[in-house]
Amino acid sequence: MINIAVLGYGTVGSGVVEVIENNRAEINKKAGEELNVRYILDLRDFPGDPYEHKVVHDVNIILEDPEVNIICETMGGISPAYEFSKKALLAGKSVCTSNKELVASHGPELLRLARENRCNYLFEASVGGGIPIIRPLNYSLTAEKIDAITGILNGTTNYILSKMAAEGADFAEVLKEAQDKGYAERNPEADVEGHDACRKIAILSSLMTGKNVRYEDIYTEGITRLTPADFAYAGAMGRSIKLLALSRNGEDGCYAMVAPFMIPVSHPLYSVNDVFNAVFVHGNMLGDSMYYGRGAGKLPTASAVVSDVVDCARHMGRTVMCFWDAEDVKLVSADKIRHRFFVRTRAELEQQAAEIFGAVDTVSAGIAGEYAFVTEKMTEKDFREKAERLDTVLSRIRMED
Amino acid sequence: MINIAVLGYGTVGSGVVEVIENNRAEINKKAGEELNVRYILDLRDFPGDPYEHKVVHDVNIILEDPEVNIICETMGGISPAYEFSKKALLAGKSVCTSNKELVASHGPELLRLARENRCNYLFEASVGGGIPIIRPLNYSLTAEKIDAITGILNGTTNYILSKMAAEGADFAEVLKEAQDKGYAERNPEADVEGHDACRKIAILSSLMTGKNVRYEDIYTEGITRLTPADFAYAGAMGRSIKLLALSRNGEDGCYAMVAPFMIPVSHPLYSVNDVFNAVFVHGNMLGDSMYYGRGAGKLPTASAVVSDVVDCARHMGRTVMCFWDAEDVKLVSADKIRHRFFVRTRAELEQQAAEIFGAVDTVSAGIAGEYAFVTEKMTEKDFREKAERLDTVLSRIRMED
């Protein structure tokens, strides 16, 4: 029997218990041993809950029990999740987590501790919720040089953008509706400002490069400034607007960015809507591949945590390979990244725009008083300098080809 | 150092050598040891080839060399691949294969031999070419009860169907073009009659159930009877026609089928075009997930074979888990499967169709002299009996919701 402790009995933590209970026979078969939830750590009591008697308030009960083999860290946040995870690994207990903040901040250190103590630190649930993406990168695409990852990695913003596109609604209005439905937090900043997607692409970029991509170094822009007019132009071009988290690892170095992009209908990410997430991966032998599914939600995320538990159970006493060194990657400055840019300005500035940007493609969406165009490919820095010379920029959105 | 032998120096076999050579540093790092191609088995000589001196004509040289650890079986066909694989496994050498015929026919036996001899029989490349799908099913979706798999599993037919849809062209015409481009074999039967997709869905269904789904038991229908008129009606309904390979594992048992289906634009498989493949998997906790990529081609398929080699290298002396028992699954008869059906008949039979099928949805694509409709959901058997009573059935295609 393999004993498990769940740290944090919130949405994901209670989902872990539910998944193990619902699919007990399947999971025990796949794990090769019976899994038993021995403890649940939470500050609260849960009177009436079928697992009430397993709830403890002191983490040391778990850390000092030599029969606990695997910890599911579903608390979120850095502290005390970081301290608990470190102590668990030092005690030789594997840790499976859904905590992207912690993985993005302390991944290499926790992976090293796992190696040194012959256990595992696994984090399938930290990116893409239930979508298998960490394990495919680590176990499946092992014959590839991966040079590009492009993801829709945040379900809340994708839900909002899908709604804005479908209904021509305002950002604020759709955000409120998403909050009422529980798809967005009361404080939505981490999602709508792109911070959540930034943590996730930092994790994926680290696995792509084998080194540490610091999330603090990634240029990140959210979706709060998008308007119905932007979607009208996107529609006129046969495009949708998505919050992309992307990174590239080429001969000129590595760069990463989180920002809204206009993507064409021919792009496989075009039709990823609502709370679905997808990760598009390019390898030098395989070409394009994509992984799609529910990027959030109690049971999908919990299912990913439990798949990590099964992996730990199959590798007791052995550390599975994960290449993510502590050495920081020096990212290429966002200034040097090249795109085409969509720009909206006032109608009377058409001539000025032509003088500044040269040859552009004009876009019409029947909006009075405006002139909109798409530039040629240029660096972020070039674009910024040119845009500063334009008297009015109503909005500007990057184009993905 | 881990020594490899490649059986069959054709498209995939030479791709395996090329992938190992191109990505040597990455692959050795991921494998944890240096991989070395020691032998290539082929009936032919390859004068001038950089690997010329590694070519042998007698498989026993490979089987009797105790320093060969891993065999890549990229020969295709049942015999002698079956005999060679058996002998290799009996000698404790792991086998990595792209051979779907062999895996579908003898999977459980070869897996058992691998277990008994503490080595591995891996077949990531046998389904979906370069798309990671076998390993995600075996290693990632381990907390799920998987109840449905729906795939576009054959690149040749998907290329033909994409072309027919885009150009309104005849099947025969597009097939010839595909043959000229090397996307279809001179003898295209295995692809266009659905036999290839049938082998692949048999493999996936076996992994879904953990038992053996015999490919011979799967109802299989190809794409040869589809006409431009069918695509015109599909377009009028906002649908595309895809050769789907599907299986379901529910309370009423398990069934599987390969046939052309009309699928709606909202379905994630709708936009899987050209030689791309995709596998749509439904689990009871995760809900929908999808895996997309190049379903064929030299380097993508070879990349999947090499990812199996890396997996073997990481598990020398240990057999990784794969649940596929020899016990045959008794599939539910195709007669009992329920769909809506699209039907084309002669214009003057509208009244007769109404009498036989009752309430139907009429479809118009502006084709003179025809009447077309979509039935309500009914079993295959019901539909067949009703269709026999209709004086003329110009075509009938299943609908996927």
Side-chain angles (χ1 to χ4, degrees):
Chain A
M1 184 187 288
I2 290 183
N3 289 301
I4 299 165
V6 178
L7 309 190
Y9 203 39
T11 305
V12 179
S14 60
V16 166
V17 173
E18 192 174 330
V19 167
I20 291 176
E21 172 125 352
N22 276 346
N23 288 350
R24 182 172 297 282
E26 285 282 324
I27 291 168
N28 289 344
K29 180 179 166 191
K30 297 285 170 69
E33 280 213 56
E34 197 187 327
L35 302 184
N36 173 51
V37 176
R38 176 171 284 195
Y39 301 111
I40 294 164
L41 178 77
D42 206 287
L43 293 173
R44 300 163 290 179
D45 284 313
F46 295 86
D49 186 284
Y51 285 81
E52 178 183 5
H53 58 291
K54 308 215 171 185
V55 175
V56 297
H57 305 305
D58 177 1
V59 73
N60 291 311
I61 296 172
I62 294 166
L63 295 173
E64 288 165 12
D65 184 338
E67 291 185 356
V68 170
N69 315 98
I70 300 169
I71 308 267
C72 298
E73 187 270 289
T74 52
M75 311 172 68
I78 301 291
S79 187
Y82 171 56
E83 292 77 13
F84 292 177
S85 298
K86 249 165 87 164
K87 285 182 187 166
L89 295 168
L90 285 166
K93 300 180 195 306
S94 290
V95 176
C96 307
T97 186
S98 57
N99 187 337
K100 60 219 145 224
E101 296 93 334
L102 182 55
V103 176
S105 304
H106 295 280
E109 179 193 1
L110 296 167
L111 285 164
R112 178 178 53 76
L113 288 179
R115 276 193 305 276
E116 290 172 0
N117 293 281
R118 297 178 144 263
C119 57
N120 286 289
Y121 185 65
L122 300 183
F123 46 90
E124 181 63 70
S126 69
V127 181
I131 308 172
I133 179 62
I134 303 296
R135 211 168 272 110
L137 286 175
N138 280 341
Y139 297 179
S140 291
L141 300 179
T142 51
E144 294 290 319
K145 273 187 201 156
I146 297 170
D147 49 33
I149 297 179
T150 310
I152 292 176
L153 296 179
N154 180 271
T156 304
T157 47
N158 205 45
Y159 174 83
I160 292 172
L161 296 179
S162 300
K163 276 280 191 187
M164 288 179 76
E167 297 171 7
D170 267 336
F171 170 75
E173 186 185 317
V174 179
L175 172 61
K176 185 167 178 316
E177 190 196 318
Q179 287 173 319
D180 292 344
K181 285 194 176 168
Y183 291 165
E185 308 271 348
R186 282 297 126 197
N187 177 355
E189 194 186 325
D191 292 317
V192 301
E193 297 294 355
H195 302 320
D196 175 79
C198 171
R199 300 298 189 284
K200 292 169 176 170
I201 195 68
I203 295 170
L204 297 181
S205 306
S206 297
L207 296 177
M208 173 170 70
T209 59
K211 297 178 182 161
N212 190 45
V213 173
R214 285 163 40 91
Y215 70 85
E216 300 93 327
D217 296 345
I218 298 175
Y219 176 85
T220 298
E221 189 181 307
I223 65 165
T224 56
R225 288 186 297 186
L226 295 172
T227 64
D230 295 324
F231 284 89
Y233 285 103
M237 286 187 279
R239 288 176 174 252
S240 61
I241 303 178
K242 298 290 183 189
L243 182 68
L244 297 187
L246 52 84
S247 67
R248 304 284 180 263
N249 191 24
E251 301 200 341
D252 308 332
C254 181
Y255 71 82
M257 169 178 267
V258 176
F261 279 80
M262 287 191 173
I263 63 175
V265 68
S266 56
H267 198 294
L269 294 175
Y270 175 89
S271 43
V272 176
N273 286 318
D274 302 325
V275 297
F276 280 87
N277 281 195
V279 187
F280 198 66
V281 178
H282 187 271
N284 68 335
M285 296 291 120
L286 172 56
D288 292 326
S289 64
M290 187 173 77
Y291 310 83
Y292 165 96
R294 291 188 180 273
K298 175 177 176 163
L299 294 178
T301 307
S303 171
V305 174
V306 178
S307 76
D308 279 347
V309 171
V310 170
D311 209 0
C312 289
R314 290 177 176 186
H315 293 93
M316 296 300 287
R318 302 175 75 224
T319 307
V320 300
M321 288 202 195
C322 179
F323 296 97
W324 182 352
D325 292 346
E327 183 193 337
D328 288 337
V329 174
K330 185 151 172 42
L331 292 181
V332 173
S333 159
D335 277 356
K336 295 190 183 163
I337 304 176
R338 289 162 56 85
H339 310 282
R340 292 189 298 148
F341 289 82
F342 164 80
V343 182
R344 282 167 53 213
T345 185
R346 285 182 290 119
E348 58 270 32
L349 297 178
E350 176 169 354
Q351 184 56 34
Q352 192 191 42
E355 282 159 18
I356 297 170
F357 286 97
V360 297
D361 291 330
T362 299
V363 186
S364 174
I367 297 179
E370 289 198 3
Y371 171 65
F373 58 94
V374 175
T375 71
E376 299 201 308
K377 220 168 197 180
M378 58 181 68
T379 65
E380 292 269 340
K381 182 160 179 283
D382 263 8
F383 175 78
R384 205 170 51 237
E385 287 170 1
K386 286 184 200 292
E388 275 165 15
R389 289 162 51 204
L390 192 62
D391 286 346
T392 305
V393 174
L394 296 170
S395 77
R396 56 103 186 88
I397 301 171
R398 294 164 184 88
M399 306 278 282
E400 171 77 355
D401 297 319
Chain B
M1 183 186 289
I2 290 183
N3 289 301
I4 298 165
V6 177
L7 310 191
Y9 202 40
T11 305
V12 179
S14 61
V16 166
V17 172
E18 193 174 330
V19 167
I20 292 176
E21 173 126 352
N22 276 344
N23 289 350
R24 182 172 297 281
E26 285 282 323
I27 292 169
N28 289 344
K29 179 179 167 191
K30 298 285 171 67
E33 280 212 57
E34 196 186 326
L35 302 184
N36 173 52
V37 176
R38 176 171 284 194
Y39 301 110
I40 294 164
L41 179 77
D42 206 286
L43 293 174
R44 299 163 289 178
D45 285 311
F46 294 87
D49 186 284
Y51 285 80
E52 177 184 5
H53 58 292
K54 309 215 172 187
V55 174
V56 297
H57 305 304
D58 177 2
V59 74
N60 291 312
I61 296 170
I62 295 166
L63 295 172
E64 288 165 12
D65 183 338
E67 292 184 355
V68 169
N69 314 99
I70 301 170
I71 308 267
C72 299
E73 186 271 290
T74 51
M75 310 171 68
I78 302 291
S79 187
Y82 171 56
E83 292 77 14
F84 291 177
S85 298
K86 251 167 85 164
K87 285 182 186 165
L89 295 168
L90 285 166
K93 301 180 195 306
S94 290
V95 176
C96 307
T97 186
S98 57
N99 186 338
K100 61 223 148 221
E101 296 92 334
L102 182 56
V103 176
S105 305
H106 295 281
E109 179 192 2
L110 296 168
L111 284 164
R112 178 178 54 76
L113 288 179
R115 276 194 305 278
E116 290 172 359
N117 294 280
R118 297 177 144 264
C119 56
N120 286 288
Y121 186 65
L122 300 183
F123 46 90
E124 181 63 71
S126 68
V127 181
I131 307 172
I133 180 62
I134 304 297
R135 211 170 271 108
L137 286 174
N138 281 341
Y139 298 178
S140 292
L141 300 178
T142 50
E144 295 291 319
K145 273 186 202 159
I146 296 169
D147 49 34
I149 296 179
T150 310
I152 293 176
L153 297 178
N154 180 272
T156 304
T157 47
N158 205 46
Y159 174 83
I160 292 172
L161 297 179
S162 300
K163 276 280 192 187
M164 288 179 76
E167 298 171 5
D170 267 335
F171 170 76
E173 186 184 319
V174 179
L175 171 61
K176 184 168 179 315
E177 190 196 320
Q179 288 174 318
D180 291 344
K181 285 192 176 169
Y183 291 164
E185 308 271 347
R186 283 295 126 196
N187 178 356
E189 194 186 325
D191 292 318
V192 300
E193 296 294 355
H195 303 319
D196 175 80
C198 170
R199 300 299 189 282
K200 292 169 175 170
I201 195 68
I203 295 170
L204 296 180
S205 305
S206 298
L207 296 177
M208 172 169 72
T209 58
K211 295 179 184 162
N212 189 45
V213 173
R214 286 163 39 92
Y215 71 84
E216 301 92 328
D217 295 345
I218 298 175
Y219 176 85
T220 299
E221 189 180 308
I223 64 165
T224 56
R225 287 185 297 186
L226 295 172
T227 64
D230 295 322
F231 284 90
Y233 284 104
M237 287 187 277
R239 288 177 174 251
S240 63
I241 304 177
K242 297 291 184 188
L243 182 69
L244 295 187
L246 52 84
S247 67
R248 303 285 179 264
N249 190 25
E251 301 200 342
D252 308 332
C254 181
Y255 72 81
M257 170 179 268
V258 176
F261 279 79
M262 286 191 174
I263 64 175
V265 67
S266 56
H267 198 293
L269 293 176
Y270 175 90
S271 43
V272 176
N273 286 317
D274 301 325
V275 297
F276 281 88
N277 279 196
V279 187
F280 198 67
V281 178
H282 187 271
N284 68 336
M285 296 291 121
L286 172 56
D288 291 326
S289 63
M290 188 174 75
Y291 310 84
Y292 164 96
R294 291 187 181 273
K298 174 177 178 165
L299 294 177
T301 307
S303 172
V305 174
V306 177
S307 76
D308 280 347
V309 172
V310 170
D311 209 0
C312 289
R314 290 178 175 185
H315 293 93
M316 296 300 287
R318 302 174 75 226
T319 307
V320 301
M321 289 203 194
C322 178
F323 295 97
W324 181 353
D325 292 346
E327 183 193 336
D328 288 338
V329 174
K330 183 149 174 46
L331 292 181
V332 173
S333 159
D335 278 355
K336 295 189 182 164
I337 305 177
R338 289 162 56 87
H339 310 282
R340 292 189 299 146
F341 289 82
F342 164 79
V343 182
R344 280 166 53 212
T345 184
R346 285 182 289 120
E348 59 270 32
L349 296 179
E350 176 169 355
Q351 184 55 34
Q352 191 191 42
E355 283 160 18
I356 297 170
F357 286 97
V360 296
D361 292 329
T362 298
V363 186
S364 173
I367 297 179
E370 290 199 3
Y371 171 67
F373 58 95
V374 176
T375 70
E376 300 201 307
K377 219 168 198 181
M378 59 180 70
T379 64
E380 292 270 340
K381 181 159 181 282
D382 264 7
F383 174 77
R384 205 171 51 238
E385 288 171 0
K386 287 185 200 291
E388 274 166 15
R389 289 162 52 204
L390 192 62
D391 286 346
T392 305
V393 174
L394 295 170
S395 77
R396 56 104 185 87
I397 301 172
R398 295 164 185 87
M399 307 279 282
E400 170 78 354
D401 297 320

